[in-house]
Amino acid sequence: MTSSPNPDPLMLQEARQTPDVIARQFRENSDAAGALAQVLRERRPPYAVTIARGSSDHACTVLKYALETELSLPVASLGPSVHTLYGARLDLRGALVIAVSQSGASPDVVENVRMAREGGALTVALVNVEDSDLAQAAEFVLPLRCGEERAVAATKSYLASLTAFLPVIAELGPDGRLKEALNSLPDALRRTLELEDAANALAARYSFAQNLLILARGLHYGVAQEAALKLKETSGIHAEAYSAAEFSHGPKRLLAEGLPLLGFTSNDAAWPATEAAYADLRAGGADLRTLGPAAGSTLQTPTTGHALTDTVPSALAFYLFAAHLALGRGLNPDAPPLLSKVTKTR
């Protein structure tokens, strides 16, 4: 494993804690996840709504695909300001409302959860600070179990947000494959940490990039969104995430300017179409490298036995890549200009 100058940045230290964080989360949340699954069986919400910002909202993108593909439950993202700034009280009676926040301190997320619960929604908080305002506002809490996260750029809290609701889905889903994948996920994440040298080598190719386009489709799209944010935060790169399906509908024009691409791969129903899109881009001369579980990826991550859990090693490997990219550019990923750990919005 590559060692950066001592001491290693917090971003790397905390990313490396992820396997133990996820194992602890599954172990300590078992009763809470089972109880929530039973309530969902009884109440049978007709749809779900997510409330989050930043990295937490990107985790909600993955959760949206998870709920829709595994449980056929439609999911929408709620704009927090519709209530806090515009004063609208949305009719969320009977809905499943999921709020995700590392700190649980942002007033707009908290106030929307209170509104939803008062209006008859089933509210769930995925939060790291268990005595936070958000945890107190929600009916159910699934703690992230990360411990303190000190780096400004979230790593283990984003990854724990990806996994916290998956045991509930596994209880409600059609087969046992997801349960098996969850059991083996911590080991897959430990194998992912062994890819740090390879992540560092890939990062070196982008040492002087000022712009980078991130592509993905389906379950990995929320990981691509998070990747673009992290590159902005830690390296000052103007990075944008696009669906591989949408990229040809206009954004492809950017390739004429020579912008490099990083594409996430997958082992799921979206991969054949995504793979074909990547092949077309390469045939047109695009500078495209890939990260994910599909065979032939530039940085191939461990497979986990389920497409949902495959997103977690992909995201962890990207964090290793992003931290080393920042270091290679002479930057401290723990001290991004103008940013602080907790952002409170209304």
Side-chain angles (χ1 to χ4, degrees), residues 287-304:
D287 178 6
L288 169 66
R289 289 170 179 82
T290 53
L291 186 162
S297 299
T298 310
L299 181 58
Q300 186 174 349
T301 55
T303 57
T304 64

Side-chain angles (χ1 to χ4, degrees), residues 166-245:
L166 292 185
V168 179
I169 295 174
E171 287 292 329
L172 299 171
D175 59 51
R177 289 178 52 247
L178 182 53
K179 284 186 179 180
E180 294 175 3
L182 292 173
N183 288 336
S184 63
L185 181 57
D187 284 339
L189 293 171
R190 292 184 183 98
R191 295 197 305 275
T192 304
L193 294 178
E194 297 172 2
L195 300 174
E196 190 167 338
D197 284 340
N200 189 7
L202 179 60
R205 304 188 69 96
Y206 298 95
S207 293
F208 300 100
Q210 297 303 311
N211 301 279
L212 184 59
L213 303 178
I214 313 294
L215 303 183
R217 192 166 182 185
L219 299 176
H220 271 77
Y221 182 57
V223 179
Q225 291 177 316
E226 171 66 3
L229 173 63
K230 282 298 182 291
L231 291 174
K232 294 185 182 81
E233 287 180 334
T234 60
S235 285
I237 293 174
H238 181 203
E240 297 296 337
Y242 291 99
S243 161

Side-chain angles (χ1 to χ4, degrees), residues 43-73:
R43 297 197 196 179
R44 301 182 62 84
Y47 65 97
V49 169
T50 61
I51 307 172
R53 291 196 183 278
S55 292
S56 296
D57 197 36
H58 303 154
C60 286
T61 300
V62 180
L63 180 57
K64 169 185 169 67
Y65 277 97
L67 290 167
E68 291 181 344
T69 59
E70 291 294 304
L71 303 183
S72 300
L73 186 68

Side-chain angles (χ1 to χ4, degrees), residues 20-333:
D20 292 335
V21 166
I22 300 305
R24 180 170 64 249
Q25 182 192 82
F26 291 160
R27 182 175 63 251
E28 296 183 4
N29 284 5
S30 177
D31 290 345
L36 178 55
Q38 182 57 38
V39 170
L40 289 171
R41 287 191 192 96
E42 295 168 355
R43 297 197 196 179
R44 301 182 62 84
Y47 65 97
V49 169
T50 61
I51 307 172
R53 291 196 183 278
S55 292
S56 296
D57 197 36
H58 303 154
C60 286
T61 300
V62 180
L63 180 57
K64 169 185 169 67
Y65 277 97
L67 290 167
E68 291 181 344
T69 59
E70 291 294 304
L71 303 183
S72 300
L73 186 68
V75 182
S77 175
L78 187 150
S81 62
V82 170
H83 174 57
T84 58
L85 297 185
Y86 291 95
R89 295 188 66 86
L90 301 181
D91 184 356
L92 298 172
R93 285 173 294 179
L96 169 62
V97 173
I98 304 170
V100 183
S101 172
Q102 188 273 332
S103 68
S106 190
D108 55 352
V109 176
V110 174
E111 290 174 26
N112 274 274
V113 169
R114 285 180 180 146
M115 173 200 69
R117 187 172 180 181
E118 290 168 0
L122 192 165
T123 54
V124 182
L126 277 56
V127 64
N128 196 40
V129 182
E130 295 178 45
D131 60 353
S132 62
D133 290 344
L134 179 58
Q136 294 174 30
E139 183 179 358
F140 293 91
V141 177
L142 293 175
L144 300 184
R145 309 289 187 186
C146 292
E148 182 183 11
E149 187 174 58
R150 296 162 57 200
V152 171
T155 54
K156 60 180 179 177
S157 64
Y158 171 80
L159 296 164
S161 298
L162 291 184
T163 58
F165 208 88
L166 292 185
V168 179
I169 295 174
E171 287 292 329
L172 299 171
D175 59 51
R177 289 178 52 247
L178 182 53
K179 284 186 179 180
E180 294 175 3
L182 292 173
N183 288 336
S184 63
L185 181 57
D187 284 339
L189 293 171
R190 292 184 183 98
R191 295 197 305 275
T192 304
L193 294 178
E194 297 172 2
L195 300 174
E196 190 167 338
D197 284 340
N200 189 7
L202 179 60
R205 304 188 69 96
Y206 298 95
S207 293
F208 300 100
Q210 297 303 311
N211 301 279
L212 184 59
L213 303 178
I214 313 294
L215 303 183
R217 192 166 182 185
L219 299 176
H220 271 77
Y221 182 57
V223 179
Q225 291 177 316
E226 171 66 3
L229 173 63
K230 282 298 182 291
L231 291 174
K232 294 185 182 81
E233 287 180 334
T234 60
S235 285
I237 293 174
H238 181 203
E240 297 296 337
Y242 291 99
S243 161
E246 298 291 338
F247 187 68
S248 295
H249 292 196
K252 189 176 180 180
R253 161 68 177 80
L254 296 171
L255 296 182
E257 313 304 323
L259 270 64
L261 302 169
L262 179 65
F264 281 94
T265 70
S266 60
N267 283 328
D268 62 4
W271 177 233
T274 307
E275 183 180 30
Y278 289 173
D280 287 345
L281 290 169
R282 287 193 177 104
D287 178 6
L288 169 66
R289 289 170 179 82
T290 53
L291 186 162
S297 299
T298 310
L299 181 58
Q300 186 174 349
T301 55
T303 57
T304 64
H306 199 287
L308 281 178
T309 45
D310 278 349
T311 61
V312 190
S314 295
L316 176 56
F318 174 81
Y319 285 149
L320 302 176
F321 164 91
H324 282 288
L325 178 57
L327 292 170
R329 292 162 73 94
L331 301 172
N332 180 359

Side-chain angles (χ1 to χ4, degrees), residues 332-345:
N332 180 359
D334 294 338
L338 309 179
L339 298 178
S340 59
K341 182 59 181 171
V342 177
T343 303
K344 296 183 179 182
T345 51

